[in-house]
Amino acid sequence: MGGRKYEVLLTEGAEQDLESIYDYIAEFDCKANADHVLDRLLEVVEGLSTFSERGAYPKELVALGIREYRQTAFKPYRMIYRVTAQKVYIYAIVDGRRDMQSLLARRLLGA
């Protein structure tokens, strides 16, 4: 719901995702583009503090009957998160072109 302020927290895995994305772009493209992508991703993170319910349910999880996680995106990157009480926990920030089914199973379900 808009208006309420949520505390947004990145899990260790999500922090590592951000670092990996930044490092990859800096190495294979340029530092300026890595800075740009990081800034945009952090804007999306910040936006979840007021609009945490806006995200859709990831189709890979809905197929398993799981509706406790949501996603938002800065394409091609998907941010997978969960809202509990006044907190938003971000579990993964990943390139949506990856095998999301197995990544989400590993990261969220411990499979």
Side-chain angles (χ1 to χ4, degrees):
M1 306 262 232
R4 289 174 42 191
K5 275 292 214 184
Y6 290 80
E7 181 180 7
V8 181
L9 304 164
L10 279 82
T11 62
E12 186 176 322
E15 287 181 2
Q16 290 172 352
D17 292 340
L18 278 178
E19 288 177 24
S20 295
I21 291 166
Y22 182 89
D23 291 346
Y24 181 87
I25 295 170
E27 181 177 346
F28 294 101
D29 192 348
C30 68
K31 186 177 179 321
N33 285 344
D35 289 339
H36 171 76
V37 170
L38 181 62
D39 289 345
R40 297 296 85 73
L41 289 171
L42 292 176
E43 285 174 8
V44 173
V45 167
E46 183 58 33
L48 291 174
S49 70
T50 50
F51 297 105
S52 60
E53 303 291 329
R54 74 170 178 217
Y57 298 109
K59 66 183 184 302
E60 297 87 354
L61 296 177
V62 170
L64 300 173
I66 299 169
R67 289 184 175 269
E68 59 197 78
Y69 298 94
R70 293 181 177 267
Q71 69 178 359
T72 190
F74 170 67
K75 292 193 178 199
Y77 303 102
R78 290 170 61 185
M79 196 170 294
I80 309 298
Y81 66 96
R82 184 177 182 186
V83 181
T84 54
Q86 287 296 111
K87 296 185 180 184
V88 176
Y89 294 94
I90 299 175
Y91 290 91
I93 304 171
V94 294
D95 188 322
R97 298 168 291 192
R98 291 178 57 186
D99 176 4
M100 293 298 290
Q101 191 77 40
S102 61
L103 181 131
L104 293 175
R106 271 194 324 274
R107 186 80 61 95
L108 303 178
L109 309 175

